[in-house]
Amino acid sequence: DGGITQSPKYLFRKEGQNVTLSCEQNLNHDAMYWYRQDPGQGLRLIYYSQIVNDFQKGDIAEGYSVSREKKESFPLTVTSAQKNPTAFYLCASKGQGKAANTGELFFGEGSRLTVL
Amino acid sequence: GENVEQHPSTLSVQEGDSAVIKCTYSDSASNYFPWYKQELGKGPQLIIDIRSNVGEKKDQRIAVTLNKTAKHFSLHITETQPEDSAVYFCAATSPRDDKIIFGKGTRLHILP
């Protein structure tokens, strides 16, 4: 089945450790996104990528890093510099690339990160 | 950059009644306005969208209206059912970049 897969579903981390969240899609989509969801805050954009080997900062990029070496994959690293990393992280992909900015976002089921 | 405001944050309606959720946006260049529904423990899913060249769009019990002059758009759900209980997000996209900016969400409760 085509879709977008995030792993792990739940992750626990000690303070000061980096952690990488995986996001893979087999929809042949050009654009991929990472959002952070906190209660009452909605979905806030961390990073997005419109094409392989290119990505842009979203509204809350500090303390996060990404890579886009393959079209199918867009991993997110939560670094120790992120002051409040406990949250629900959602990855999404979109069919249209840079030439057209409209289109449906397909979301994964999310990864819940808890810092102990 | 774009900013999207969504109201109310929580909405309770009796089953069978209508529900309305409202959003405003700041970037007049935005031209695509989707609505997503998120059920507990899952990622959001698109339920309806509208583009800036259209004022209204309907899909069965769901409709969306757009007022470009006032920069606001609304989601209307008629004849609400228990399965409509969820969190709903509006969003806006500008052709300046490929960002999709979401509102803070509305938790909709359908009361029996």
Side-chain angles (χ1 to χ4, degrees), chain B:
Chain B
E2 176 65 276
N3 182 49
V4 178
E5 300 281 341
Q6 182 172 348
H7 299 280
S9 57
T10 307
L11 178 62
S12 296
V13 300
Q14 212 67 40
E15 184 178 346
D17 288 350
S18 296
V20 181
I21 302 171
K22 298 182 179 183
C23 289
T24 60
Y25 60 98
S26 60
D27 188 349
S28 55
S30 288
N31 61 359
Y32 176 65
F33 307 93
W35 286 88
Y36 288 81
K37 176 183 180 182
Q38 185 180 30
E39 297 179 346
L40 196 61
K42 296 189 174 181
Q45 284 194 304
L46 181 75
I47 55 170
I48 195 167
D49 57 14
I50 191 167
R51 299 179 192 275
S52 59
N53 58 347
V54 175
E56 184 173 354
K57 184 176 178 181
K58 190 173 181 180
D59 182 4
Q60 299 182 342
R61 296 186 297 109
I62 295 173
V64 57
T65 58
L66 171 65
N67 183 330
K68 282 177 61 180
T69 304
K71 289 191 279 189
H72 67 70
F73 55 114
S74 301
L75 177 72
H76 305 252
I77 306 174
T78 58
E79 301 171 15
T80 52
Q81 300 170 3
E83 55 265 35
D84 295 330
S85 292
V87 179
Y88 291 81
F89 292 98
C90 62
T93 308
S94 169
R96 295 185 209 279
D97 49 38
D98 213 15
K99 286 185 178 182
I100 301 169
I101 303 300
F102 285 80
K104 291 188 177 182
T106 296
R107 184 172 295 279
L108 176 63
H109 299 276
I110 305 302
L111 306 172

Side-chain angles (χ1 to χ4, degrees), chain A residues 13-27:
Chain A
R13 184 193 97 178
K14 291 183 180 178
E15 274 192 38
Q17 289 180 335
N18 291 357
V19 63
T20 297
L21 307 180
S22 169
C23 179
E24 303 278 331
Q25 53 99 359
N26 60 4
L27 300 168

Side-chain angles (χ1 to χ4, degrees), chain A residues 29-35 45-51 54-59 68 74 92-105, chain B residues 1-2 27 29-32 34 36 51 91-102:
Chain A
H29 285 172
D30 287 310
M32 296 186 74
Y33 302 76
W34 274 105
Y35 289 90
L45 183 62
I46 305 172
Y47 267 98
Y48 64 111
S49 168
Q50 296 167 308
I51 200 165
D54 186 43
F55 49 82
Q56 290 77 38
K57 291 182 179 180
D59 297 323
R68 188 81 189 279
F74 191 41
S93 68
K94 184 162 72 73
Q96 283 91 336
K98 201 170 182 179
N101 74 320
T102 58
E104 179 179 356
L105 275 180
Chain B
E2 176 65 276
D27 188 349
S30 288
N31 61 359
Y32 176 65
Y36 288 81
R51 299 179 192 275
T93 308
S94 169
R96 295 185 209 279
D97 49 38
D98 213 15
K99 286 185 178 182
I100 301 169
I101 303 300
F102 285 80

Side-chain angles (χ1 to χ4, degrees), chain A residues 54-75:
Chain A
D54 186 43
F55 49 82
Q56 290 77 38
K57 291 182 179 180
D59 297 323
I60 56 164
E62 187 176 348
Y64 299 98
S65 66
V66 293
S67 63
R68 188 81 189 279
E69 296 175 2
K70 298 187 299 182
K71 188 175 185 178
E72 302 80 18
S73 179
F74 191 41

